[in-house]
Amino acid sequence: MTTTSPTAARYAGSRVHRVEDARLLTGRGTYVDDIELPRMVHACFVRSPMARATIVSIDASAAAALPGVVAVFTAADLNGGVKEQWHTSSGEEGPETPRPPLAEGEVRFVGDPVVLVVAGSRYIAEDAAELVEIDYEPLTPVVDYTQAAEATELVHTSHGSNIIGDLGAFPLSTFDDVFDSAAHVVSETIYQQGYAPVPMEGRGLIVDHSATTGDLTIYSATQSPHEVRMFCARLLGLPEHRIRVVMRDTGGSFGQKVMVQRDEMCLMLAGPKLGVPVKWVEDRQENLLSAGMSRREHGVARMAFDDDGVIQAATIDFVQDCGAYPTPWPVMTAAAVGVFFPGPYRVSKATFQARTVYTNTVGRTAYRGPWQFESLAREVLLDIAARRIGIDPAELRRRNLLRKEDIPYASPYGMTYEQISPMETFEQALSMLDYDAFRVEQAQARAAGRYLGVGISNYVEPSTPGYGYYGTEAATIRVEPSGKVNVHVVGGSCGNSIETTVIQLTADALGLNIDDVATVQGDTAVTSFGAGTAGSRSGSMTAGAVGQTATILREKLAAIAAHLLEAAVGDIELTDSRATVRGTPTVGITMAEMAKVAYFEPQKLPPGMTAGLEASSRYTATDTSIFVNATHVCTCEVDPVTGRVDLLRYIVSEDCGPMINPNVVEGQIAGGVVQGIGGALYEELAYDEDGNPVTTTFADYLLPTSTEVPIIEYGHIETPSPGPGGYKGVGEGGAIGAPPAVVNAVADALSPFGVTITRLPLSPARLVGLLDPSTRAADGSDQ
Amino acid sequence: MTEIAIKITVNGRPQEAVVEPRLTLADFLRENCRLTGTHLACEHGVCGACTVLVDGAAVRSCLMFAVQAADREVTTVEGIAAPDGTLSPVQAAFRDCHGLQCGFCTPGFIMSLTALLRDNPDPTDEDIRVGLSGNLCRCTGYQGILAAARQAAPGPAEA
């Protein structure tokens, strides 16, 4: 039936202005800290100053006596209230990290929450926190994760080992015969430093417990209000429907706010004891101390090549630091590093081992491309291999990348890559640069004593997980009695523009003028369950939910219009917020007129049709993953005297399928790329050897600023996915592709010096050290 | 703690309060004036999210006490659109150029850029980059922000 096919796309694909912007540009957004409730009190944590110590005693009497203080909680007050603690994506049966809300008996990292102070204002809560006296007996911490597996000291004594898990495919020796007989074998141990998502808004929540009903309302900075609700229901043993979680604006997250952590557990436990709403908003120091670390890891990456540089086998032996309290359980994510290590290349023989370890540092959390080390290790190794074999790094990739005729391609671990285009994005990106011309420019520059370099990285990533907790998404589309339309989805935006996206998709699906559509998101009371933003899933999953729901409503609208206009259902077209008869566009009826009939004159509806004008439906993903590929190409100049790196051009060619809003796609790529540049060059969540964090302010933890970033150039290849609209996920890729592209560019610039770069970040000091023969030996594995 | 009576003109309206000397200007604006558009993202003067104009100069309201702003004029992000709600040229350029995503750093950028372009209506790209280097953004990679600054710059003054 023609009316059930979508109307012509009018908004999808165009650079529609964001509906979020009007409030955010005028200071009228609603972030957690902007919410004020009657009688609200404020919480502040007292955190451990030691990496590992026994808590001998806590004296909170002076704090409790301070005027304005409402309560002081220790583990003895809160921890007994925990009924269950597990994240929905890990599952009830899954192994979990021990996760005491407040530290109990032992502190396990600097920043570990020990005492929760609640007072009438944040100022008084902080005053009181300083009056809490805690006597610690220091213990030897496990700081260096590379030694954690063998350490005699244990981070969690109850676990019996510092190894959280070992997962792998075949033994690493499986393909030794291939390596033994290969023309070239290249193996390097590549280290990535710890860095973090660092959203501009820290974590925060308000817990409002109603003493009369026992109901709980939580306002949270989160990516997933439904996960906050489910977690809280289990934590407190409350029925899920007695809890409402509301998120309004959330100031960035990038993975850090995707799951409930211990600090939030404390607030959930304290709320019902207080009888008044309680707010906790993390400050920057807390965020850098306690909100989580990502990336600290290394791997022995090894590839065998034949005479022509064709990859014969690839293995990686990977170890990941998970800190003291990782969220979520990290073993599967670590294994993904191994699974995706072969990348978008023809590699038939591959294996890996992946080990996760506890240390006395802040816990690992999700971060944009949680397994991006696979791309870093592979792409950096490929450049090292190219230099050793004596082949141009672009040519080495060209000989191994998946070509159109190789696809569909079964990866060594059984995933099938279809609908991807690695060779096409690669050639497009090189062409945008004019790679050959750059090599000429580079040679001329070198002759003049200047060091330019070019770095390439290719990757394929799984987006839109289509299983379990993530595998469905719901929408409700409601034509209100005036004919205006509201679309309800859970959303979970921390900046990803999903409000605009959903409005674009709904307007197209129902032939509406975009100003006639609004969206309601982020409130568990009025949106059906959904996993929120994670895994680059929002575009595809909400497109599925909106599309499926709109189909139901479109059929009803067509039937109403046909009945009222005395036309055939098949001749009804929905456009401009009207239903018209094909061929005679002057004959029509507005959405407002149809809504009036549907709500107030149901006797005029087609016989048997129910009154009202809304539909709800839940979309089920059809694929386990939707694969996305891209190529990043970066050029730079390195000053060998100062170690300064200037990025010159940055090109991303990606294949995310059709774009719903090119501004949003480019914005996601740019944001991810600059986070990756930060990781390659500037950022490090660093600890000293005693486990003291040394980067707890923005003066020490260096984010990229407007003076360092290159202009990012975008290329686009469009291979539709098998999912709704052909869309793919594009939220994480920028942060995956950028670090290896930048590292390779710097290494290429410095290739005349014969250095091999295997440790990040590429700070001026590290580069100068690499170039100075007298200090090179001091830099560990660099050679 | 001894409290001090202050008067501050905020977005053209006189505000009076009796405050602790330690109350920051940012908290005064957010809590006393209920102007929550000024955001706190580091509270140590690096990120620029809390930037407001004090007597026209861009300042970090987390590093200034409310009492230091006594008898001065403060402009926040809530105060720069036209009275009829029309966005200022800087605000409109941020919208046009996708200069914001989560929006948390945005008020600070808008205030910094508003001051920058007032003082230098025809900045070079380098002027813009340096002028905005005291504001941190984690979402946009600065791409849309730099484009917005370019769009919003009035250009060379008429002779």
Side-chain angles (χ1 to χ4, degrees), chain A residues 643-657:
Chain A
R644 179 189 168 113
V645 175
D646 283 306
L647 300 181
L648 303 174
R649 289 184 67 186
Y650 201 101
I651 296 161
V652 180
S653 171
E654 50 62 43
D655 184 347
C656 68

Side-chain angles (χ1 to χ4, degrees), chain A residues 17-18 25 31 33-34 123 127 196-198 200 251 284 494-495 663 667 671 675 683 698 703-704 706 709-710 712, chain B residues 22 24 27 30 36-37 39 41 44 77 91 94 96 98 100-104 129 132-133 138-139 141-143:
Chain A
H17 280 162
R18 297 201 322 164
L25 285 167
Y31 302 88
D33 199 20
D34 302 338
Y123 281 68
D127 289 344
V198 197
M200 293 310 295
R284 182 56 53 191
C494 303
N663 278 350
Q675 290 184 3
E683 297 176 38
F698 277 155
L703 294 178
S706 56
V709 296
I712 297 168
Chain B
R22 66 175 178 170
T24 65
D27 285 339
R30 290 181 53 80
T36 53
H39 296 156
H44 47 253
V77 72
Q91 289 170 316
F94 267 71
D96 294 345
H98 196 49
L100 67 159
Q101 291 182 23
C102 82
F104 201 78
R129 285 173 178 264
L132 295 179
S133 64
R138 193 58 164 167
C139 290
Y142 304 99
Q143 304 293 304

Side-chain angles (χ1 to χ4, degrees), chain A residues 717-767:
Chain A
I717 300 286
E718 195 167 304
T719 311
S721 81
Y727 304 128
K728 303 176 182 176
V730 75
E732 296 171 273
I736 298 171
V742 173
V743 171
N744 285 342
V746 172
D748 185 55
L750 298 179
S751 60
F753 297 94
V755 298
T756 300
I757 295 175
T758 55
R759 278 180 191 263
L760 304 186
L762 305 183
S763 61
R766 185 181 304 282
L767 292 179

Side-chain angles (χ1 to χ4, degrees), chain A residues 140-157:
Chain A
T140 304
V142 180
V143 179
D144 179 356
Y145 80 96
T146 66
Q147 306 298 316
E150 290 79 34
T152 50
E153 305 291 335
L154 295 181
V155 178
H156 293 284
T157 312

